[in-house]
Amino acid sequence: MAATVSRPEVAAEGQEPLLSPGEADEEDSGRDVVETQEHYKSRWRSIWIMYLTMFLSSVGFSIVIMSVWPYLQKIDPTADASFLGWIIASYSIGQMVASPLFGLWSNHRPRREPLVISTAISVAANCLYAYVHVPHSHNRYYMLAARALVGFGAGNVAVVRSYIAGATSLMERTSTMANTSACQAVGFILGPVFQTCFTLIGEEGITWKLVQLQLNMYTAPVLFAALLGVINIILFFSIFREHQVDDMGRQCKSVSFEGEESNVPDQDAEGNIDHVAVVAINFLFFVILFVFAVFETTGERAILHGGLLIVLVGFFILLPWGKKLPNIQWQEIKNNSIPRTAATEMLMPFWSLQATPLPSNHTVEPVGCPVTQSWCLNTPMIYLAQYISSDILIGLGYPVCNVMSYTLYSKILGPKPQGVYMGWLTASGSGARILGPVFVSQIYTHLGPRWAFSLICGVVVVSLLLLEIVYKRLIAFSVRYGRMQEENC
């Protein structure tokens, strides 16, 4: 969706705003104030700090994801795989609870407050994770609490997105939301890279007995994340400033660079939010995150529509279409007397590979479709080409849908306070990341890929129908109330 807007004017270096706060009340409530060069630079420095905050939030999740299981077994050998699932899910649970709370906080107080407090919680939680080996009992529960608190601190992504939505014009909104999602994705990618680098320290590492700190391959990553969090807090105090512009890029609040604010009424905020569109975007965003969580283990409306179609095609391709049944994992019954796999069959999919004979005392996990899953006996195999094609399509569709959902959502909300709404959107995504793995473990394990992927296709189809129903309502707040003209839908 594009709208007819003029690029926000930026005054020459050092030039003062044309209208003082007193004059602004008489002249259209100050909405035609020219943005000075100093204000423009400060606004974008603050946005870049929001990018960094989003990046660090993602790093906090992924930097330990590869080492959670061995570290859990080291501190508490009685912990099983099911408890590991709770530890991984606790991050999303914490974020789901915290996002609306931090969003509400940011609506009524300066955003620096929830940003600093949430980041401090993450720093403390990472330090707690580094000390979960110290207690003599219940170590796994300390780890669970630490990961939940890291997720709770990551609830500040709602504040980040609400700030970016309020500090950008409609023309800037799509690119800044895309950059925010890119920083989030880079954080998810680089987290395991940082973890890999810290493996050089080794499992024993260095022990500082004075403070009972073990610096090893398990604790060094979280301490590094804590250090980055401290740097982030320093930047909140030293560089970050509150800024707000209207949909056309004009200042609707005068913010001095010492942090003092003069509240100016904003006439562009008059009007009601379309809550039908808001609920629809929340549902669509839930579906997008749910679909990606399952798979993991033009204008904005048209692009979102296209992204969902790509995801639908990806899962449709992934359905078992052939006639050849997968090879069965018979080790438990035949005592490892399985014939070798032919070279040409090595290109079969992830569950159709035949198992090779192994010594009786082998530690390698058997491969093949488990005989305990009855669907293996009548469900055709999925070929590698299907899997790769689906992987590419879903990988293309997900980021498109993610960015467009946030962009449309922020434009629908317009100049209204967005903290709580962004909090609910973030919470819906966290809920999807919790339910996605549960869906896989239950439906896929008991009914197989045909039912699992068919149900996902059905959910995406329902989402597309919902998008068609509310399509005309997914417009910017300013366009809805006639303050700007929409060119393309």
Side-chain angles (χ1 to χ4, degrees):
M1 176 180 59
T4 305
V5 295
S6 57
R7 188 177 182 83
E9 297 181 74
V10 179
E13 184 75 38
Q15 180 179 342
E16 295 296 325
L18 299 180
L19 298 178
S20 65
E23 294 170 328
D25 293 332
E26 300 176 358
E27 298 291 336
D28 199 21
S29 299
R31 289 180 290 109
D32 291 323
V33 175
V34 175
E35 185 179 39
T36 65
Q37 187 73 19
E38 185 180 10
H39 183 280
Y40 177 84
K41 290 181 178 179
S42 174
R43 180 165 66 91
W44 279 98
R45 280 196 297 266
S46 299
I47 291 173
W48 275 96
I49 291 176
M50 294 297 96
Y51 291 162
L52 175 64
T53 304
M54 184 65 77
F55 169 79
L56 295 180
S57 174
S58 300
V59 168
F61 171 77
S62 62
I63 198 168
V64 299
I65 203 69
M66 294 169 57
S67 63
V68 169
W69 178 236
Y71 190 35
L72 177 62
Q73 290 181 308
K74 180 180 179 181
I75 64 171
D76 193 342
T78 63
D80 55 14
S82 62
F83 195 83
L84 172 66
W86 280 108
I87 290 178
I88 294 175
S90 64
Y91 177 93
S92 295
I93 294 173
Q95 188 179 50
M96 182 173 63
V97 172
S99 296
L101 299 178
F102 286 131
L104 180 63
W105 188 352
S106 70
N107 278 355
H108 299 283
R109 296 289 299 169
R111 291 186 179 92
R112 180 186 286 118
E113 292 181 7
L115 288 171
V116 169
I117 296 300
S118 60
T119 307
I121 290 173
S122 294
V123 170
N126 281 318
C127 293
L128 173 62
Y129 186 91
Y131 278 93
V132 295
H133 66 280
V134 174
H136 298 292
S137 62
H138 303 101
N139 303 74
R140 57 179 174 176
Y141 295 106
Y142 288 105
M143 179 182 283
L144 179 68
R147 292 303 297 165
L149 286 173
V150 171
F152 192 90
N156 61 12
V157 298
V159 183
V160 170
R161 293 192 186 275
S162 67
Y163 177 83
I164 290 176
T168 55
S169 66
L170 280 184
M171 290 186 66
E172 299 168 330
R173 191 79 47 80
T174 302
S175 61
T176 50
M177 284 295 179
N179 291 339
T180 305
S181 295
C183 291
Q184 187 177 34
V186 171
F188 281 126
I189 294 169
L190 291 185
V193 175
F194 293 145
Q195 166 74 74
T196 303
C197 294
F198 286 115
T199 56
L200 299 175
I201 299 176
E203 191 170 359
E204 297 301 323
I206 305 170
T207 301
W208 190 3
K209 294 183 179 180
L210 181 64
V211 292
Q212 292 185 305
L213 175 63
Q214 290 183 0
L215 187 64
N216 53 37
M217 60 185 289
Y218 303 125
T219 61
V222 292
L223 294 175
F224 176 69
L227 175 62
L228 294 178
V230 171
I231 295 173
N232 202 18
I233 292 175
I234 294 173
L235 293 175
F236 286 144
F237 284 109
S238 61
I239 299 177
F240 177 79
R241 297 291 181 269
E242 295 276 349
H243 293 287
Q244 186 172 346
V245 298
D246 64 12
D247 286 347
M248 296 183 69
R250 301 170 300 189
Q251 288 179 246
C252 57
K253 181 186 289 184
S254 296
V255 182
S256 72
F257 298 98
E258 289 73 38
E260 297 178 355
E261 301 179 7
S262 62
N263 294 322
V264 178
D266 184 12
Q267 293 180 358
D268 282 343
E270 296 176 359
N272 297 320
I273 293 173
D274 188 343
H275 286 91
V276 174
V278 168
V279 172
I281 292 293
N282 270 276
F283 176 79
L284 292 171
F285 188 70
F286 176 89
V287 171
I288 292 164
L289 268 293
F290 176 83
V291 166
F292 193 72
V294 168
F295 192 71
E296 206 175 23
T297 37
T298 28
E300 289 90 358
R301 293 178 298 177
I303 295 175
L304 176 60
H305 194 281
L308 283 171
L309 281 173
I310 291 173
V311 171
L312 175 61
V313 173
F315 274 100
F316 188 75
I317 290 175
L318 197 55
L319 289 170
W321 292 107
K323 296 181 178 180
K324 186 176 181 180
L325 298 178
N327 297 298
I328 306 301
Q329 185 185 108
W330 294 103
Q331 279 87 339
E332 297 177 1
I333 299 176
K334 294 190 177 183
N335 193 24
N336 299 326
S337 59
I338 312 252
R340 285 188 181 273
T341 305
T344 55
E345 292 177 327
M346 293 303 292
L347 294 179
M348 293 301 170
F350 48 94
W351 76 68
S352 65
L353 296 178
Q354 291 181 324
T356 57
L358 296 169
S360 57
N361 61 347
H362 72 86
T363 58
V364 180
E365 292 186 4
V367 295
C369 195
V371 69
T372 55
Q373 297 176 355
S374 59
W375 56 265
C376 294
L377 302 175
N378 52 36
T379 302
M381 65 173 62
I382 294 176
Y383 292 89
L384 183 61
Q386 282 180 268
Y387 181 78
I388 293 177
S389 300
S390 176
D391 192 3
I392 293 172
L393 289 172
I394 297 172
L396 289 173
Y398 168 75
V400 170
C401 294
N402 185 288
V403 172
M404 291 305 107
S405 295
Y406 273 117
T407 302
L408 276 171
Y409 196 68
S410 65
K411 291 184 177 182
I412 290 168
L413 297 175
K416 298 287 186 178
Q418 299 192 10
V420 174
Y421 289 102
M422 285 293 180
W424 285 118
L425 189 65
T426 303
S428 69
S430 299
R433 286 195 296 269
I434 295 169
L435 292 178
V438 174
F439 177 88
V440 169
S441 63
Q442 298 300 316
I443 303 297
Y444 184 92
T445 300
H446 293 93
L447 300 177
R450 179 170 283 166
W451 273 97
F453 299 149
S454 294
L455 287 174
I456 293 174
C457 288
V459 171
V460 177
V461 168
V462 170
S463 302
L464 285 167
L465 292 175
L466 175 63
L467 183 57
E468 288 295 330
I469 293 171
V470 301
Y471 191 83
K472 293 184 178 180
R473 306 185 73 139
L474 304 182
I475 57 176
F477 186 94
S478 298
V479 174
R480 183 168 178 245
Y481 286 97
R483 300 184 185 118
M484 300 177 69
Q485 297 297 318
E486 185 180 20
E487 291 181 343
N488 299 308
C489 292

